[in-house]
Amino acid sequence: MVYQLHPLEINPKTGEPFLRLAAPHKNIILTPPRQGDQSVLIQHMNDPAIYGWMKRLPTPYLPEHADFWIQFVKEESDTTLEYLRKSAEDFPNGPLQFVGASPVRHLREVKEDGTDVLIGDVNFRRSPFEEVLDEVERKRLQEDNAKKQAGDPTIQYAIGDWLAVTHHGRGIMTAAVGLLMTAWGIPRMGVRHVVVHTFAGNIGSNRVFEKNGFVNRGPSNNGIIVRGEKKVLTLLDWKYDLDENET
Ligand SMILES: CC(C)(COP(=O)(O)OP(=O)(O)OC[C@H]1O[C@@H](n2cnc3c(N)ncnc32)[C@H](O)[C@@H]1OP(=O)(O)O)[C@@H](O)C(=O)NCCC(=O)NCCS
């Protein structure tokens, strides 16, 4: 029978699926969001070194924001896993089914005693088309893109990420974005086009994407105002290389 959760591993104690980063970060795994992640999330989302670089975060970030968010992302993960488990029955001989999201996204550091700590998040979502200046056109593109079936190669995705400040600068997010793309996004979601926008000056974030094959297209100014401040963005994009992958 085809393993529809491929290439996720399963924690034998908890049954939770996960992906493990490669060496030297083998103690870091990507897992589904969990009920109970709220308190650590609140701590990091109120850290100016994190929220200062993010667009859509309420500040201050309150328990009700975290409750809403964890329910939302947990539901997305649960629905995806449920669909894949059902696909194992519906398509016992394959093929592997495409899905619209990654069921694993929370970065956790696994300690020697087996417990783990939430240290970040990396995820795909449908693109907000921030690069399109005309609002009506942007909305139309967002809606068309949102309607497309999982696996459609014309879907434009975005990636969101953050990492606990204690763990910055060790190559962790570069590895996590690479893993999410190669192990899940490309083979299991059919991701072929990703566009990200960082705030101008977010050199660490730009480097994470550049080191994963994104091309830095420079400043993109759509007049966005974040927490009362006008922000210039940097646009980076990635396209699946057909020549490299299909020959
Ligand atoms: C952006 C972020 C996810 C990067 O994660 P990370 O694990 O620290 O990144 P890495 O260690 O993989 O670093 C990638 C590169 O950026 C460089 N870098 C990291 N932080 C940097 C900084 N503050 N200034 C300059 N370069 C930096 C690293 O040196 C590395 O480049 P190199 O290999 O050429 O030396 C993390 O800094 C973060 O969570 N920032 C706040 C939230 C955020 O910006 N999210 C992204 C929104 S678009």
Side-chain angles (χ1 to χ4, degrees):
M1 183 143 111
V2 164
Y3 178 58
Q4 288 284 350
L5 293 184
H6 178 84
L8 301 181
E9 294 182 59
I10 302 292
N11 180 321
K13 282 204 187 115
T14 61
E16 187 182 57
F18 68 95
L19 284 175
R20 188 181 295 283
L21 270 63
H25 301 300
K26 287 186 111 172
N27 60 331
I28 294 174
I29 55 175
L30 298 183
T31 80
R34 295 179 196 152
Q35 199 50 252
D37 282 340
Q38 286 88 333
S39 57
V40 178
L41 183 68
I42 291 167
Q43 182 195 320
H44 294 299
M45 293 302 101
N46 282 308
D47 182 341
I50 294 184
Y51 75 71
W53 297 107
M54 297 177 71
K55 292 180 205 91
R56 292 175 198 81
L57 277 187
T59 35
Y61 196 85
L62 301 171
E64 61 251 40
H65 300 128
D67 281 339
F68 172 84
W69 182 247
I70 293 299
Q71 186 181 332
F72 175 74
V73 290
K74 210 177 155 303
E75 238 169 63
E76 182 182 70
S77 170
D78 289 348
T79 310
T80 307
L81 288 169
E82 211 171 287
Y83 173 77
L84 288 169
R85 288 186 179 122
K86 189 167 174 299
S87 297
E89 291 161 25
D90 296 346
F91 307 94
N93 304 315
L96 290 178
Q97 297 298 296
F98 282 121
V99 288
S102 173
V104 296
R105 58 181 289 164
H106 274 185
L107 283 92
R108 301 185 200 270
E109 184 171 49
V110 182
K111 308 288 183 191
E112 298 235 317
D113 66 1
T115 59
D116 57 34
V117 181
L118 174 64
I119 57 163
D121 184 17
V122 58
N123 60 84
F124 286 109
R125 62 195 163 84
R126 301 270 169 128
S127 173
F129 289 88
E130 225 118 35
E131 66 281 10
V132 177
L133 301 188
D134 182 80
E135 263 180 56
V136 177
E137 174 67 357
R138 188 190 307 161
K139 194 149 189 291
R140 189 187 67 74
L141 287 165
Q142 285 171 356
E143 285 170 2
D144 282 358
N145 196 50
K147 273 190 230 141
K148 291 178 183 172
Q149 289 278 325
D152 182 333
T154 68
I155 296 172
Q156 184 171 313
Y157 284 95
I159 290 181
D161 61 1
W162 64 265
L163 184 68
V165 173
T166 43
H167 290 68
H168 282 189
R170 301 187 207 166
I172 293 172
M173 195 52 83
T174 301
V177 167
L179 178 67
L180 186 75
M181 288 186 63
T182 54
W184 196 264
I186 296 168
R188 302 308 317 274
M189 295 170 65
V191 172
R192 297 293 180 264
H193 187 197
V194 186
V195 177
V196 296
H197 289 87
T198 61
F199 288 175
N202 196 349
I203 297 164
S205 189
N206 290 351
R207 291 293 299 138
V208 164
F209 291 113
E210 285 163 2
K211 291 206 291 181
N212 278 296
F214 284 66
V215 178
N216 188 328
R217 307 275 178 199
S220 155
N221 193 349
N222 63 5
I224 188 171
I225 294 177
V226 182
R227 292 174 286 276
E229 233 181 87
K230 234 179 160 190
K231 294 280 185 190
V232 175
L233 305 174
T234 302
L235 187 157
L236 298 104
D237 72 348
W238 172 92
K239 275 199 175 137
Y240 185 76
D241 189 337
L242 266 184
D243 293 339
E244 207 173 279
N245 291 287
E246 312 268 303
T247 51

